[in-house]
Amino acid sequence: MSGAGVLPRLAERFRRSVRAKLLALVLAPLAVGVPILLGLVWTWGSESYQRLLTYKISSDMVTAHEYFDRVRIGVGHEVAAAAESHRLALRLAHDPRAQMELSALLANLAVARGLDFLHFLDRDGRIVASAHNEFSSGEARAAWPVVAAALAGQAHTTVERLSAEQLAGIDPALRRRARLDLVPTRAAAPDPRSFEDRGLIIHAAAPVVDVGGRPLGALEGGVLLNGNLEMVDRINAIVYRDGSLPLGSRGTATLFLDDVRIATNVRLFEGQRALGTRVSAAVRERVLGRGETWLGTAFVVSDDYVSGYEPVVDGHGERVGMLYVGFLEEPFRNAMRLAMGALFLLFIVLSGLGTVLSLRWARSVFQPIERMNAVIQRAEQGEAGARVGEVASRDELGRLAGEFDHLLDTLAAKREELQRWAEELDAKVAERTRELSEANEHLRRAQQQLVMSEKLAAIGELTAGVAHEINNPVAVIQGNLDVLRDVLGDAAGPVREEIRLIHQQADRIRQIVTKLLQFARPGEFAGYVEEVDVNAVLADCLLLTRHNLEKGRIDVDLREAATVPVEINRSELQQVLINLIVNAIQAMPEGGTLTLASENWLEHDQPMGAVLRVRDTGQGIAPENLSNIFDPFFTTKKGSGTGLGLSISYTIVERYGGRIEVSSRPGEGAEFVVRLRREPLYDAAPEAPRFARRWDIASA
């Protein structure tokens, strides 16, 4: 059997078979749509994962940079404080040439200030005395930028790279501390050296004046960064606090002299730091060669780390080293793969279940059609008693099968009386034709209703997608608020309430997005009910809309008289009131008065709940719009409104047994009245169509 003959036969069978068409219609979206959807989810997930890691390492890099700057500035402050020391001034005033005593004083100051070296220079920049008492008296230091600035009367601090000879000239111990054996490192640029003996220091100098304010020279000091493990451990502890990384990941920090790690907590082996290892050639070229910041994945010694590198610049503007922070990427990658795998598995399981259910539903459709087709074939062969019989389906096809049997019975009866009742048969045929036309019209209307239901379902799916995409940045906002609060610590005190409100409103954004889903499927959502003081909610709403009120020059008249608490979801009530307040502000573009009032809701002297009133002094609502303002997607703000605010607000209040009323006269403003019950009454028929509801509209 040739392939050329199979395809035409399959095409012909598909053209003639309702079963084949229905199966293709059911399975095509699953067979085509699910792989496309999985591909899109994988693409979006991977991009979001990379953006998240880049954002985090960028934030970590900023924190490390700020701490390193704080250390550098702190060294400058210590040197400046030593230069202003009262003991130094007295010593210089007594006998500035007493070198031994001055060196001993400098040694004490260096220890007290945590400095690795400290020199007193004369006005020509030559060393007069040193904390270590080992120097060349003729050596001039005025060529260094920090010394030149100090001799000019300005304290200055920078980072400098010193040769082994320069380190030995300051203190031979510094040369010994700076020396590191270079460790061969994969992907590093070639380097013929076997050790690193240069030093990277924080270099500071400050002017020294006598008691009369006359310049005597300068005080030069600094800290050696080679082997400064305490600093990198402190950077790592600040950037990567306990619990800030997933289990299995670890944070690292490093100081580089050129491309050599001179202080790091990256491990070469268990318990041994990777001192003397070097950065990859790609990172070296971008950071040291082009002066750019590296943010992304990089190979660090033996593993892939999400890394941040930035250049360290000396007083001459040359790039002499790098500052690095990073964390192990593998746990993040595993977590992402696990999440994507679980999501893919969920998609596949749901698709499988959907396929099974769809085939069962399709079977209920094509079984009656196949039985009717078989009856037609038997009737064509002369079997007068062929009938479809009873079918399980009670839909249009089931009714059509019953009508088909009835038609066959009618045709059989008329066939026997064809000669005698020809005219009556014509009338009966005409009557049946009308009935068939009505049935077809009924079927057409049912099809139109089905299309409308599918469109509403599509709106619900689109709303769910939009809600998912909005929740991602909201989660990022809330996470970064936590980071902001942790980083600021006690310094966040003056804005702690604002941070709390931002956090609360970010959560409220998430809840509002949920309300979009609630609009499409109101019966599937129910808010968490709590006892609420309506006066407190009014106060919170005023605080949240304070900026809009001040900007719009709106005076607020607040009247709090309600004493009866109500049971409702606090955030949903806040959403309703803020929506009404913002609408009132927008109704008064030239300014006006906003009246917010609360009172008890009494019926027959019995407390039923609370009443909230929101009244503005704007232009009011046109009479022809009063009956439509709560309709979904109705808005008078062309180009700026969605028409969902009042509709969702009405749905929220109605769900808890309350109601919203509106009254307005053109030119005199509008008033919205929200009535809330002490105990919520839930809708007994949540499946009732949203568009069939009617509202009570009170005239002013």
Side-chain angles (χ1 to χ4, degrees):
M1 182 181 295
S2 65
V6 173
L7 291 178
R9 280 193 290 273
L10 290 177
E12 180 65 18
R13 182 177 179 182
F14 180 81
R15 189 175 66 85
R16 292 177 175 273
S17 173
V18 175
R19 174 197 287 267
K21 292 177 180 178
L22 286 175
L23 289 177
L25 196 63
V26 169
L27 297 179
L30 295 173
V32 177
V34 170
I36 294 176
L37 184 60
L38 291 178
L40 291 175
V41 169
W42 177 263
T43 301
W44 292 337
S46 299
E47 291 178 354
S48 299
Y49 166 76
Q50 291 300 329
R51 285 197 299 269
L52 177 62
L53 293 186
T54 301
Y55 178 82
K56 173 167 177 53
I57 194 61
S58 176
S59 175
D60 296 344
M61 193 75 253
V62 170
T63 303
H65 175 86
E66 290 178 351
Y67 177 76
F68 185 72
D69 268 358
R70 195 158 60 242
V71 172
R72 180 181 58 81
I73 294 170
V75 171
H77 287 168
E78 295 296 341
V79 173
E84 297 170 358
S85 169
H86 182 64
R87 288 188 297 161
L88 179 61
L90 291 177
R91 177 67 265 167
L92 293 174
H94 181 261
D95 185 1
R97 293 172 296 180
Q99 180 179 317
M100 294 301 295
E101 295 182 10
L102 183 56
S103 295
L105 176 59
L106 292 178
N108 291 334
L109 289 175
V111 173
R113 302 292 178 179
L115 302 173
D116 289 328
F117 65 93
L118 190 62
H119 300 151
F120 174 68
L121 313 176
D122 63 16
R123 285 179 289 180
D124 294 327
R126 299 183 184 280
I127 300 177
V128 176
S130 172
H132 300 283
N133 204 24
E134 296 180 11
F135 62 93
S136 174
S137 60
E139 181 183 358
R141 311 282 295 170
W144 291 98
V146 294
V147 174
L151 293 176
Q154 181 68 42
H156 188 48
T157 307
T158 186
V159 177
E160 300 291 350
R161 176 180 57 196
L162 303 182
S163 66
E165 292 73 17
Q166 289 170 325
L167 285 175
I170 295 174
D171 181 4
L174 295 183
R175 179 174 184 174
R176 291 192 296 272
R177 284 173 52 189
R179 192 182 190 281
L180 281 174
D181 291 332
L182 294 182
V183 178
T185 308
R186 195 180 99 189
D191 192 334
R193 300 179 303 159
S194 61
F195 61 88
E196 174 64 80
D197 58 356
R198 295 173 297 171
L200 194 66
I201 66 168
I202 297 177
H203 197 193
V208 178
V209 298
D210 61 12
V211 292
R214 293 183 298 274
L216 297 176
L219 204 62
E220 176 197 16
V223 172
L224 180 66
L225 297 179
N226 295 53
N228 198 328
L229 303 182
E230 180 181 355
M231 178 183 295
V232 294
D233 287 344
R234 181 60 179 164
I235 292 175
N236 188 72
I238 291 175
V239 176
Y240 301 110
R241 295 180 177 86
D242 291 341
S244 64
L245 294 174
L247 184 64
S249 184
R250 60 178 180 271
T252 54
T254 300
L255 283 173
F256 288 86
L257 193 163
D258 285 343
D259 64 347
V260 179
R261 290 180 176 87
I262 59 173
T264 183
N265 65 347
V266 177
R267 304 295 174 176
L268 184 60
F269 303 106
E270 189 64 32
Q272 179 180 351
R273 300 187 186 231
L275 296 173
T277 58
R278 301 168 56 226
V279 78
S280 67
V283 174
R284 174 191 172 95
E285 170 61 22
R286 179 182 294 184
V287 181
L288 294 178
R290 301 199 297 266
E292 301 174 359
T293 298
W294 174 289
L295 296 174
T297 301
F299 182 78
V300 178
V301 181
S302 60
D303 289 298
D304 287 331
Y305 282 72
V306 180
S307 307
Y309 295 84
E310 70 173 18
V312 175
V313 181
D314 66 5
H316 300 284
E318 297 181 0
R319 294 182 284 275
V320 297
M322 294 181 290
L323 175 64
Y324 155 86
V325 290
F327 51 88
L328 192 62
E329 184 187 16
E330 185 65 24
F332 285 87
R333 190 184 304 120
N334 291 339
M336 191 270 286
R337 289 172 177 170
L338 180 61
M340 296 299 288
L343 185 60
F344 276 31
L345 181 60
L346 180 61
F347 268 118
I348 293 173
V349 170
L350 292 178
S351 299
L353 292 176
T355 301
V356 173
L357 293 176
S358 298
L359 290 176
R360 294 189 55 145
W361 290 335
R363 184 180 180 186
S364 68
V365 173
F366 59 66
Q367 269 192 342
I369 297 176
E370 288 181 337
R371 289 177 61 179
M372 285 188 287
N373 183 57
V375 169
I376 291 173
Q377 292 178 354
R378 288 161 59 194
E380 288 177 349
Q381 295 173 0
E383 186 178 343
R387 296 292 184 271
V388 177
E390 187 71 20
V391 295
S393 177
R394 292 295 180 265
D395 55 13
E396 293 84 354
L397 290 175
R399 291 194 297 272
L400 183 61
E403 291 294 328
F404 186 71
D405 279 355
H406 180 63
L407 179 61
L408 290 177
D409 292 339
T410 302
L411 289 176
K414 297 307 176 184
R415 189 180 298 111
E416 295 176 357
E417 301 178 358
L418 181 61
Q419 297 300 326
R420 277 186 312 137
W421 306 103
E423 294 181 359
E424 183 179 355
L425 178 60
D426 290 339
K428 294 267 183 203
V429 170
E431 180 180 357
R432 295 296 181 267
T433 302
R434 284 195 306 272
E435 292 177 357
L436 183 59
S437 176
E438 292 174 358
N440 289 335
E441 179 64 22
H442 181 70
L443 179 61
R444 186 185 63 82
R445 288 196 299 268
Q447 290 174 336
Q448 290 177 344
Q449 292 177 356
L450 179 61
V451 170
M452 179 60 70
S453 299
E454 292 175 347
K455 287 182 178 180
L456 291 177
I459 292 175
E461 293 297 327
L462 177 60
T463 302
V466 172
H468 172 74
E469 292 301 320
I470 292 178
N471 277 335
N472 283 340
V474 168
V476 174
I477 290 172
Q478 290 179 320
N480 281 277
L481 280 175
D482 293 337
V483 173
L484 177 64
R485 182 169 50 201
D486 292 340
V487 170
L488 292 179
D490 294 335
V495 292
R496 193 175 305 279
E497 181 62 16
E498 284 75 8
I499 292 176
R500 182 189 69 80
L501 290 174
I502 292 174
H503 199 290
Q504 184 183 59
Q505 291 310 301
D507 186 67
R508 183 166 162 265
I509 289 174
R510 180 186 60 76
Q511 296 180 17
I512 291 174
V513 169
T514 303
K515 300 308 177 293
L516 290 174
L517 294 175
Q518 181 180 358
F519 174 74
R521 295 169 289 188
E524 298 179 10
F525 295 84
Y528 173 78
V529 177
E530 57 185 318
E531 188 173 89
V532 174
D533 180 2
V534 296
N535 295 326
V537 177
L538 273 178
D540 284 348
C541 292
L542 275 178
L543 180 61
L544 294 172
T545 57
R546 177 180 58 189
H547 174 72
N548 303 74
L549 293 168
E550 293 173 353
K551 183 177 178 181
R553 304 187 302 280
I554 305 298
D555 296 325
V556 178
D557 182 9
L558 181 62
R559 307 172 186 176
E560 299 177 338
T563 60
V564 177
V566 299
E567 290 192 3
I568 193 172
N569 183 271
R570 183 186 183 91
S571 296
E572 291 184 316
L573 176 57
Q574 192 176 72
Q575 176 186 350
V576 172
L577 292 177
I578 288 179
N579 184 48
L580 296 178
I581 291 172
V582 170
N583 285 348
I585 293 172
Q586 294 173 351
M588 299 181 287
E590 303 300 327
T593 301
L594 174 66
T595 301
L596 300 177
S598 68
E599 59 190 51
N600 291 335
W601 179 9
L602 301 178
E603 289 186 5
H604 306 294
D605 295 331
Q606 295 296 320
M608 303 297 295
V611 178
L612 299 172
R613 300 180 184 273
V614 180
R615 183 164 61 247
D616 63 72
T617 57
Q619 293 300 315
I621 303 172
E624 62 270 21
N625 293 334
L626 274 175
S627 60
N628 298 322
I629 60 173
F630 294 108
D631 288 348
F633 306 108
F634 176 81
T635 178
T636 58
K637 306 170 190 173
K638 302 302 182 183
S640 62
T642 63
L644 285 176
L646 288 176
S647 178
I648 293 176
S649 297
Y650 189 94
T651 302
I652 291 173
V653 174
E654 185 185 44
R655 186 188 308 128
Y656 296 99
R659 64 177 185 269
I660 301 181
E661 302 166 349
V662 60
S663 61
S664 176
R665 287 183 180 176
E668 297 182 6
E671 181 182 47
F672 286 82
V673 179
V674 180
R675 299 183 182 274
L676 303 171
R677 295 183 177 274
R678 291 180 65 179
E679 299 180 356
L681 299 177
Y682 297 101
D683 190 355
E687 69 280 6
R690 175 70 179 85
F691 304 97
R693 295 177 179 168
R694 294 293 182 267
W695 295 273
D696 297 327
I697 307 298
S699 300

